Amino acid sequence: MGVDGSDTGQDQGELRPDRQEEVGRAADALAAGGLVLLPTETVYGLGADAADPAAVAAIFEAKGRPRFNPLIAHVADAAIAARIAAFDDRASALAAAFWPGPLTIVAPIADPSAVCDLARAGLETVAIRVPGHPLARAVLAAFGGAVVAPSANRSGRPSPTTYADAFAETGDKCAAALDGGPCAVGLESTVVAVLDGPVRLLRPGAVTRAQLEAVVGPLAEADDDARRSPGRLALHYAPDAPVRIDAAGPKDGEAFLAFGAWPEGEGVLNLSPSGDLAEAAANLFAYLRAADRLKPTAIAVAKIPDEGLGEAINDRLRRAAGFVG
Ligand code: TXA
Ligand code: MG
């Protein structure tokens, strides 16, 4: 659980023994330079050996990413992370507070051979996290090294939060694919930069601003680094139908993502009937996809409170609606 009691996906229990064999095959596929569909507690990732430039290049190819953006390196534990990245006291405190879990720390690279230049887009920094999903952790432990894994969607599409959605996006490009069930969090990890100066929030996510500030004090806003964070570009999370946010209700022909009490009806999907932000976050991407399949004139989305996890939900919704961030 997170410090505010929200589900950060850290407590998903032990891995069932019958899945160990599958895990071994996925680790072998990574070692052979293949791509692996990797469930995490946030969203499904498309994983590759971070040290292998050819494998990393295959990720960009499979996603159809327009340019080489830096990727997140996933590792089995904080000790491995601290060998790859140079962690100061603040980074160590954040790692201790939120790992395993949905926080990505950007820090100076300490071992460039562990996360190749292409994976870092040539930067002297590396984005690193220890995911909380037991299958992801088992694969990372079996593989041993760092695995870069962007969200498994093709570029510009909503991040997949179920195995079926992930497989439909990039499954055909993978040497192994693991079904880890629906993602508990449903939004990508929070990304913070721990470099010179105050800690900066580069991408709001499952670990909230308040949770971070409880550990490292007031955060600075992202500035130049935001340009390097493609998750912060307009239309990054867009479904096919246009998205209309802060809607009081659906217009004719629109699908509607409700939040809180709302009558059931055709084309209505309720992100959380009880108005629970964690539930809404977990449902967001899957419901955007489900609404899209109805071929509506637009997807109207109810106003979501901008507090706690709502900051990350609204960030993704504004991008889906095409507002530049
Ligand atoms: O929850 C997640 O983080 C998921 C799961 C699969 O772990 N992964 C994910 O990866 O969302 P991706 O590639 O879609 O987003 C990575 C984000 C981007 O916004 C990227 O710009 C930023 O991390 N990033 C990576 N390396 C960076 C660096 N060195 N400096 C600044 N931002 C960086
Ligand atoms: Mg993504």
Side-chain angles (χ1 to χ4, degrees), residues 152-187:
N153 53 289
R154 281 173 283 118
S155 196
R157 307 244 319 134
S159 299
T161 54
T162 67
Y163 180 71
D165 284 344
F167 200 89
E169 288 283 334
T170 49
D172 59 331
K173 312 288 199 312
C174 291
L178 292 169
D179 183 352
C183 300
V185 176
L187 285 180

PDB file of all heavy atoms in Angstrom, residues 152-187:
ATOM      1  N   ALA A 152       3.272  -1.221 -23.830  1.00  0.00           N
ATOM      2  CA  ALA A 152       3.260  -2.145 -24.966  1.00  0.00           C
ATOM      3  C   ALA A 152       2.362  -1.708 -26.123  1.00  0.00           C
ATOM      4  O   ALA A 152       2.213  -2.441 -27.097  1.00  0.00           O
ATOM      5  CB  ALA A 152       2.850  -3.538 -24.483  1.00  0.00           C
ATOM      6  N   ASN A 153       1.773  -0.504 -26.013  1.00  0.00           N
ATOM      7  CA  ASN A 153       0.955   0.011 -27.121  1.00  0.00           C
ATOM      8  C   ASN A 153       1.820   0.421 -28.299  1.00  0.00           C
ATOM      9  O   ASN A 153       2.986   0.757 -28.131  1.00  0.00           O
ATOM     10  CB  ASN A 153       0.164   1.235 -26.651  1.00  0.00           C
ATOM     11  CG  ASN A 153       1.070   2.272 -26.025  1.00  0.00           C
ATOM     12  OD1 ASN A 153       1.574   2.051 -24.924  1.00  0.00           O
ATOM     13  ND2 ASN A 153       1.301   3.367 -26.713  1.00  0.00           N
ATOM     14  N   ARG A 154       1.205   0.389 -29.496  1.00  0.00           N
ATOM     15  CA  ARG A 154       1.847   1.063 -30.616  1.00  0.00           C
ATOM     16  C   ARG A 154       1.842   2.561 -30.323  1.00  0.00           C
ATOM     17  O   ARG A 154       0.988   3.064 -29.590  1.00  0.00           O
ATOM     18  CB  ARG A 154       1.127   0.731 -31.925  1.00  0.00           C
ATOM     19  CG  ARG A 154       1.527  -0.652 -32.457  1.00  0.00           C
ATOM     20  CD  ARG A 154       0.706  -1.085 -33.649  1.00  0.00           C
ATOM     21  NE  ARG A 154      -0.611  -1.536 -33.225  1.00  0.00           N
ATOM     22  CZ  ARG A 154      -1.758  -0.964 -33.589  1.00  0.00           C
ATOM     23  NH1 ARG A 154      -1.766   0.065 -34.409  1.00  0.00           N
ATOM     24  NH2 ARG A 154      -2.901  -1.435 -33.131  1.00  0.00           N
ATOM     25  N   SER A 155       2.810   3.270 -30.872  1.00  0.00           N
ATOM     26  CA  SER A 155       3.007   4.678 -30.529  1.00  0.00           C
ATOM     27  C   SER A 155       1.734   5.504 -30.712  1.00  0.00           C
ATOM     28  O   SER A 155       1.045   5.375 -31.726  1.00  0.00           O
ATOM     29  CB  SER A 155       4.123   5.243 -31.410  1.00  0.00           C
ATOM     30  OG  SER A 155       4.587   6.440 -30.879  1.00  0.00           O
ATOM     31  N   GLY A 156       1.407   6.322 -29.706  1.00  0.00           N
ATOM     32  CA  GLY A 156       0.273   7.234 -29.816  1.00  0.00           C
ATOM     33  C   GLY A 156      -1.050   6.640 -29.384  1.00  0.00           C
ATOM     34  O   GLY A 156      -2.068   7.328 -29.380  1.00  0.00           O
ATOM     35  N   ARG A 157      -1.073   5.365 -28.992  1.00  0.00           N
ATOM     36  CA  ARG A 157      -2.317   4.702 -28.584  1.00  0.00           C
ATOM     37  C   ARG A 157      -2.360   4.584 -27.063  1.00  0.00           C
ATOM     38  O   ARG A 157      -1.331   4.698 -26.409  1.00  0.00           O
ATOM     39  CB  ARG A 157      -2.373   3.306 -29.221  1.00  0.00           C
ATOM     40  CG  ARG A 157      -2.168   3.352 -30.742  1.00  0.00           C
ATOM     41  CD  ARG A 157      -3.353   2.908 -31.508  1.00  0.00           C
ATOM     42  NE  ARG A 157      -4.008   1.761 -30.936  1.00  0.00           N
ATOM     43  CZ  ARG A 157      -5.341   1.675 -30.774  1.00  0.00           C
ATOM     44  NH1 ARG A 157      -6.115   2.679 -31.106  1.00  0.00           N
ATOM     45  NH2 ARG A 157      -5.877   0.576 -30.275  1.00  0.00           N
ATOM     46  N   PRO A 158      -3.556   4.363 -26.504  1.00  0.00           N
ATOM     47  CA  PRO A 158      -3.611   4.231 -25.039  1.00  0.00           C
ATOM     48  C   PRO A 158      -2.776   3.041 -24.559  1.00  0.00           C
ATOM     49  O   PRO A 158      -2.683   2.025 -25.237  1.00  0.00           O
ATOM     50  CB  PRO A 158      -5.103   3.979 -24.756  1.00  0.00           C
ATOM     51  CG  PRO A 158      -5.831   4.428 -25.980  1.00  0.00           C
ATOM     52  CD  PRO A 158      -4.892   4.243 -27.133  1.00  0.00           C
ATOM     53  N   SER A 159      -2.182   3.172 -23.383  1.00  0.00           N
ATOM     54  CA  SER A 159      -1.391   2.088 -22.811  1.00  0.00           C
ATOM     55  C   SER A 159      -2.291   0.892 -22.497  1.00  0.00           C
ATOM     56  O   SER A 159      -3.391   1.074 -21.986  1.00  0.00           O
ATOM     57  CB  SER A 159      -0.718   2.558 -21.527  1.00  0.00           C
ATOM     58  OG  SER A 159       0.144   3.632 -21.790  1.00  0.00           O
ATOM     59  N   PRO A 160      -1.841  -0.330 -22.799  1.00  0.00           N
ATOM     60  CA  PRO A 160      -2.669  -1.504 -22.503  1.00  0.00           C
ATOM     61  C   PRO A 160      -2.615  -1.896 -21.033  1.00  0.00           C
ATOM     62  O   PRO A 160      -1.547  -1.955 -20.434  1.00  0.00           O
ATOM     63  CB  PRO A 160      -2.067  -2.606 -23.381  1.00  0.00           C
ATOM     64  CG  PRO A 160      -0.673  -2.179 -23.659  1.00  0.00           C
ATOM     65  CD  PRO A 160      -0.602  -0.682 -23.509  1.00  0.00           C
ATOM     66  N   THR A 161      -3.771  -2.194 -20.471  1.00  0.00           N
ATOM     67  CA  THR A 161      -3.846  -2.561 -19.051  1.00  0.00           C
ATOM     68  C   THR A 161      -4.428  -3.962 -18.862  1.00  0.00           C
ATOM     69  O   THR A 161      -4.657  -4.377 -17.733  1.00  0.00           O
ATOM     70  CB  THR A 161      -4.686  -1.535 -18.268  1.00  0.00           C
ATOM     71  OG1 THR A 161      -5.962  -1.419 -18.908  1.00  0.00           O
ATOM     72  CG2 THR A 161      -4.019  -0.175 -18.254  1.00  0.00           C
ATOM     73  N   THR A 162      -4.707  -4.651 -19.963  1.00  0.00           N
ATOM     74  CA  THR A 162      -5.094  -6.060 -19.887  1.00  0.00           C
ATOM     75  C   THR A 162      -4.221  -6.842 -20.869  1.00  0.00           C
ATOM     76  O   THR A 162      -3.674  -6.271 -21.822  1.00  0.00           O
ATOM     77  CB  THR A 162      -6.567  -6.298 -20.280  1.00  0.00           C
ATOM     78  OG1 THR A 162      -6.717  -6.001 -21.677  1.00  0.00           O
ATOM     79  CG2 THR A 162      -7.511  -5.428 -19.463  1.00  0.00           C
ATOM     80  N   TYR A 163      -4.123  -8.145 -20.623  1.00  0.00           N
ATOM     81  CA  TYR A 163      -3.311  -8.985 -21.498  1.00  0.00           C
ATOM     82  C   TYR A 163      -3.851  -8.954 -22.929  1.00  0.00           C
ATOM     83  O   TYR A 163      -3.094  -8.844 -23.887  1.00  0.00           O
ATOM     84  CB  TYR A 163      -3.290 -10.416 -20.960  1.00  0.00           C
ATOM     85  CG  TYR A 163      -2.465 -11.357 -21.806  1.00  0.00           C
ATOM     86  CD1 TYR A 163      -1.075 -11.262 -21.835  1.00  0.00           C
ATOM     87  CD2 TYR A 163      -3.078 -12.332 -22.588  1.00  0.00           C
ATOM     88  CE1 TYR A 163      -0.312 -12.118 -22.612  1.00  0.00           C
ATOM     89  CE2 TYR A 163      -2.319 -13.198 -23.368  1.00  0.00           C
ATOM     90  CZ  TYR A 163      -0.949 -13.074 -23.376  1.00  0.00           C
ATOM     91  OH  TYR A 163      -0.196 -13.922 -24.151  1.00  0.00           O
ATOM     92  N   ALA A 164      -5.174  -9.026 -23.065  1.00  0.00           N
ATOM     93  CA  ALA A 164      -5.773  -9.049 -24.407  1.00  0.00           C
ATOM     94  C   ALA A 164      -5.431  -7.769 -25.172  1.00  0.00           C
ATOM     95  O   ALA A 164      -5.045  -7.820 -26.349  1.00  0.00           O
ATOM     96  CB  ALA A 164      -7.289  -9.218 -24.308  1.00  0.00           C
ATOM     97  N   ASP A 165      -5.561  -6.623 -24.508  1.00  0.00           N
ATOM     98  CA  ASP A 165      -5.242  -5.353 -25.172  1.00  0.00           C
ATOM     99  C   ASP A 165      -3.763  -5.289 -25.528  1.00  0.00           C
ATOM    100  O   ASP A 165      -3.380  -4.834 -26.619  1.00  0.00           O
ATOM    101  CB  ASP A 165      -5.587  -4.166 -24.263  1.00  0.00           C
ATOM    102  CG  ASP A 165      -7.088  -3.905 -24.206  1.00  0.00           C
ATOM    103  OD1 ASP A 165      -7.816  -4.422 -25.079  1.00  0.00           O
ATOM    104  OD2 ASP A 165      -7.529  -3.191 -23.292  1.00  0.00           O
ATOM    105  N   ALA A 166      -2.901  -5.728 -24.620  1.00  0.00           N
ATOM    106  CA  ALA A 166      -1.458  -5.682 -24.867  1.00  0.00           C
ATOM    107  C   ALA A 166      -1.101  -6.585 -26.035  1.00  0.00           C
ATOM    108  O   ALA A 166      -0.349  -6.195 -26.937  1.00  0.00           O
ATOM    109  CB  ALA A 166      -0.695  -6.107 -23.612  1.00  0.00           C
ATOM    110  N   PHE A 167      -1.669  -7.803 -26.032  1.00  0.00           N
ATOM    111  CA  PHE A 167      -1.336  -8.748 -27.105  1.00  0.00           C
ATOM    112  C   PHE A 167      -1.812  -8.216 -28.448  1.00  0.00           C
ATOM    113  O   PHE A 167      -1.123  -8.345 -29.463  1.00  0.00           O
ATOM    114  CB  PHE A 167      -1.922 -10.128 -26.805  1.00  0.00           C
ATOM    115  CG  PHE A 167      -1.227 -11.203 -27.590  1.00  0.00           C
ATOM    116  CD1 PHE A 167      -0.102 -11.838 -27.081  1.00  0.00           C
ATOM    117  CD2 PHE A 167      -1.661 -11.536 -28.868  1.00  0.00           C
ATOM    118  CE1 PHE A 167       0.581 -12.788 -27.820  1.00  0.00           C
ATOM    119  CE2 PHE A 167      -0.987 -12.487 -29.617  1.00  0.00           C
ATOM    120  CZ  PHE A 167       0.132 -13.124 -29.098  1.00  0.00           C
ATOM    121  N   ALA A 168      -2.986  -7.584 -28.462  1.00  0.00           N
ATOM    122  CA  ALA A 168      -3.510  -7.033 -29.714  1.00  0.00           C
ATOM    123  C   ALA A 168      -2.611  -5.917 -30.252  1.00  0.00           C
ATOM    124  O   ALA A 168      -2.509  -5.713 -31.463  1.00  0.00           O
ATOM    125  CB  ALA A 168      -4.928  -6.503 -29.498  1.00  0.00           C
ATOM    126  N   GLU A 169      -1.941  -5.188 -29.376  1.00  0.00           N
ATOM    127  CA  GLU A 169      -1.089  -4.076 -29.814  1.00  0.00           C
ATOM    128  C   GLU A 169       0.228  -4.578 -30.413  1.00  0.00           C
ATOM    129  O   GLU A 169       0.585  -4.219 -31.524  1.00  0.00           O
ATOM    130  CB  GLU A 169      -0.789  -3.144 -28.634  1.00  0.00           C
ATOM    131  CG  GLU A 169      -1.987  -2.305 -28.183  1.00  0.00           C
ATOM    132  CD  GLU A 169      -2.265  -1.129 -29.111  1.00  0.00           C
ATOM    133  OE1 GLU A 169      -1.344  -0.648 -29.789  1.00  0.00           O
ATOM    134  OE2 GLU A 169      -3.433  -0.690 -29.154  1.00  0.00           O
ATOM    135  N   THR A 170       0.979  -5.367 -29.639  1.00  0.00           N
ATOM    136  CA  THR A 170       2.345  -5.718 -30.068  1.00  0.00           C
ATOM    137  C   THR A 170       2.705  -7.192 -29.831  1.00  0.00           C
ATOM    138  O   THR A 170       3.863  -7.571 -29.993  1.00  0.00           O
ATOM    139  CB  THR A 170       3.382  -4.841 -29.314  1.00  0.00           C
ATOM    140  OG1 THR A 170       3.086  -4.877 -27.916  1.00  0.00           O
ATOM    141  CG2 THR A 170       3.353  -3.402 -29.796  1.00  0.00           C
ATOM    142  N   GLY A 171       1.695  -8.011 -29.471  1.00  0.00           N
ATOM    143  CA  GLY A 171       1.966  -9.415 -29.157  1.00  0.00           C
ATOM    144  C   GLY A 171       2.650 -10.166 -30.295  1.00  0.00           C
ATOM    145  O   GLY A 171       3.496 -11.042 -30.061  1.00  0.00           O
ATOM    146  N   ASP A 172       2.292  -9.820 -31.538  1.00  0.00           N
ATOM    147  CA  ASP A 172       2.869 -10.532 -32.686  1.00  0.00           C
ATOM    148  C   ASP A 172       4.363 -10.263 -32.850  1.00  0.00           C
ATOM    149  O   ASP A 172       5.044 -10.966 -33.595  1.00  0.00           O
ATOM    150  CB  ASP A 172       2.112 -10.163 -33.971  1.00  0.00           C
ATOM    151  CG  ASP A 172       2.145  -8.671 -34.271  1.00  0.00           C
ATOM    152  OD1 ASP A 172       2.236  -7.873 -33.308  1.00  0.00           O
ATOM    153  OD2 ASP A 172       2.087  -8.296 -35.456  1.00  0.00           O
ATOM    154  N   LYS A 173       4.877  -9.260 -32.168  1.00  0.00           N
ATOM    155  CA  LYS A 173       6.301  -8.919 -32.280  1.00  0.00           C
ATOM    156  C   LYS A 173       7.131  -9.585 -31.176  1.00  0.00           C
ATOM    157  O   LYS A 173       8.339  -9.398 -31.104  1.00  0.00           O
ATOM    158  CB  LYS A 173       6.501  -7.393 -32.159  1.00  0.00           C
ATOM    159  CG  LYS A 173       5.578  -6.555 -33.026  1.00  0.00           C
ATOM    160  CD  LYS A 173       5.970  -6.663 -34.492  1.00  0.00           C
ATOM    161  CE  LYS A 173       5.421  -5.540 -35.353  1.00  0.00           C
ATOM    162  NZ  LYS A 173       4.003  -5.256 -35.176  1.00  0.00           N
ATOM    163  N   CYS A 174       6.460 -10.340 -30.297  1.00  0.00           N
ATOM    164  CA  CYS A 174       7.126 -10.836 -29.087  1.00  0.00           C
ATOM    165  C   CYS A 174       7.526 -12.300 -29.190  1.00  0.00           C
ATOM    166  O   CYS A 174       6.817 -13.119 -29.758  1.00  0.00           O
ATOM    167  CB  CYS A 174       6.204 -10.662 -27.879  1.00  0.00           C
ATOM    168  SG  CYS A 174       5.972  -8.934 -27.456  1.00  0.00           S
ATOM    169  N   ALA A 175       8.684 -12.618 -28.596  1.00  0.00           N
ATOM    170  CA  ALA A 175       9.146 -14.006 -28.508  1.00  0.00           C
ATOM    171  C   ALA A 175       8.502 -14.717 -27.329  1.00  0.00           C
ATOM    172  O   ALA A 175       8.446 -15.942 -27.295  1.00  0.00           O
ATOM    173  CB  ALA A 175      10.671 -14.027 -28.375  1.00  0.00           C
ATOM    174  N   ALA A 176       8.025 -13.954 -26.351  1.00  0.00           N
ATOM    175  CA  ALA A 176       7.309 -14.521 -25.208  1.00  0.00           C
ATOM    176  C   ALA A 176       6.315 -13.481 -24.716  1.00  0.00           C
ATOM    177  O   ALA A 176       6.542 -12.279 -24.860  1.00  0.00           O
ATOM    178  CB  ALA A 176       8.281 -14.898 -24.086  1.00  0.00           C
ATOM    179  N   ALA A 177       5.202 -13.960 -24.161  1.00  0.00           N
ATOM    180  CA  ALA A 177       4.168 -13.049 -23.672  1.00  0.00           C
ATOM    181  C   ALA A 177       3.592 -13.629 -22.389  1.00  0.00           C
ATOM    182  O   ALA A 177       3.207 -14.792 -22.357  1.00  0.00           O
ATOM    183  CB  ALA A 177       3.071 -12.874 -24.717  1.00  0.00           C
ATOM    184  N   LEU A 178       3.560 -12.822 -21.348  1.00  0.00           N
ATOM    185  CA  LEU A 178       3.082 -13.296 -20.050  1.00  0.00           C
ATOM    186  C   LEU A 178       1.758 -12.629 -19.701  1.00  0.00           C
ATOM    187  O   LEU A 178       1.648 -11.398 -19.745  1.00  0.00           O
ATOM    188  CB  LEU A 178       4.106 -12.965 -18.958  1.00  0.00           C
ATOM    189  CG  LEU A 178       5.439 -13.728 -19.033  1.00  0.00           C
ATOM    190  CD1 LEU A 178       6.440 -13.114 -18.066  1.00  0.00           C
ATOM    191  CD2 LEU A 178       5.224 -15.192 -18.716  1.00  0.00           C
ATOM    192  N   ASP A 179       0.777 -13.450 -19.347  1.00  0.00           N
ATOM    193  CA  ASP A 179      -0.515 -12.921 -18.908  1.00  0.00           C
ATOM    194  C   ASP A 179      -0.478 -12.720 -17.400  1.00  0.00           C
ATOM    195  O   ASP A 179      -0.479 -13.689 -16.641  1.00  0.00           O
ATOM    196  CB  ASP A 179      -1.625 -13.904 -19.305  1.00  0.00           C
ATOM    197  CG  ASP A 179      -3.015 -13.380 -18.951  1.00  0.00           C
ATOM    198  OD1 ASP A 179      -3.113 -12.332 -18.261  1.00  0.00           O
ATOM    199  OD2 ASP A 179      -4.003 -14.013 -19.371  1.00  0.00           O
ATOM    200  N   GLY A 180      -0.447 -11.470 -16.990  1.00  0.00           N
ATOM    201  CA  GLY A 180      -0.411 -11.158 -15.556  1.00  0.00           C
ATOM    202  C   GLY A 180      -1.729 -10.627 -15.051  1.00  0.00           C
ATOM    203  O   GLY A 180      -1.785 -10.019 -13.976  1.00  0.00           O
ATOM    204  N   GLY A 181      -2.793 -10.821 -15.835  1.00  0.00           N
ATOM    205  CA  GLY A 181      -4.101 -10.313 -15.412  1.00  0.00           C
ATOM    206  C   GLY A 181      -4.202  -8.812 -15.618  1.00  0.00           C
ATOM    207  O   GLY A 181      -3.281  -8.183 -16.145  1.00  0.00           O
ATOM    208  N   PRO A 182      -5.334  -8.227 -15.238  1.00  0.00           N
ATOM    209  CA  PRO A 182      -5.485  -6.772 -15.383  1.00  0.00           C
ATOM    210  C   PRO A 182      -4.522  -6.033 -14.460  1.00  0.00           C
ATOM    211  O   PRO A 182      -4.249  -6.482 -13.350  1.00  0.00           O
ATOM    212  CB  PRO A 182      -6.937  -6.508 -14.989  1.00  0.00           C
ATOM    213  CG  PRO A 182      -7.478  -7.760 -14.426  1.00  0.00           C
ATOM    214  CD  PRO A 182      -6.504  -8.880 -14.649  1.00  0.00           C
ATOM    215  N   CYS A 183      -3.984  -4.909 -14.940  1.00  0.00           N
ATOM    216  CA  CYS A 183      -3.005  -4.152 -14.147  1.00  0.00           C
ATOM    217  C   CYS A 183      -3.701  -3.483 -12.968  1.00  0.00           C
ATOM    218  O   CYS A 183      -4.708  -2.804 -13.143  1.00  0.00           O
ATOM    219  CB  CYS A 183      -2.329  -3.099 -15.016  1.00  0.00           C
ATOM    220  SG  CYS A 183      -1.449  -3.818 -16.416  1.00  0.00           S
ATOM    221  N   ALA A 184      -3.138  -3.644 -11.773  1.00  0.00           N
ATOM    222  CA  ALA A 184      -3.791  -3.143 -10.563  1.00  0.00           C
ATOM    223  C   ALA A 184      -3.876  -1.626 -10.551  1.00  0.00           C
ATOM    224  O   ALA A 184      -4.870  -1.047 -10.115  1.00  0.00           O
ATOM    225  CB  ALA A 184      -3.035  -3.628  -9.330  1.00  0.00           C
ATOM    226  N   VAL A 185      -2.837  -0.951 -11.039  1.00  0.00           N
ATOM    227  CA  VAL A 185      -2.815   0.516 -10.993  1.00  0.00           C
ATOM    228  C   VAL A 185      -3.468   1.107 -12.242  1.00  0.00           C
ATOM    229  O   VAL A 185      -4.317   1.983 -12.149  1.00  0.00           O
ATOM    230  CB  VAL A 185      -1.372   1.037 -10.832  1.00  0.00           C
ATOM    231  CG1 VAL A 185      -1.355   2.562 -10.895  1.00  0.00           C
ATOM    232  CG2 VAL A 185      -0.771   0.551  -9.514  1.00  0.00           C
ATOM    233  N   GLY A 186      -3.053   0.677 -13.421  1.00  0.00           N
ATOM    234  CA  GLY A 186      -3.709   1.093 -14.649  1.00  0.00           C
ATOM    235  C   GLY A 186      -3.216   2.387 -15.267  1.00  0.00           C
ATOM    236  O   GLY A 186      -3.644   2.765 -16.347  1.00  0.00           O
ATOM    237  N   LEU A 187      -2.316   3.088 -14.600  1.00  0.00           N
ATOM    238  CA  LEU A 187      -1.676   4.300 -15.141  1.00  0.00           C
ATOM    239  C   LEU A 187      -0.174   4.090 -15.063  1.00  0.00           C
ATOM    240  O   LEU A 187       0.313   3.442 -14.147  1.00  0.00           O
ATOM    241  CB  LEU A 187      -1.989   5.515 -14.285  1.00  0.00           C
ATOM    242  CG  LEU A 187      -3.347   6.154 -14.348  1.00  0.00           C
ATOM    243  CD1 LEU A 187      -3.383   7.341 -13.385  1.00  0.00           C
ATOM    244  CD2 LEU A 187      -3.658   6.619 -15.760  1.00  0.00           C
TER     245      LEU A 187
END
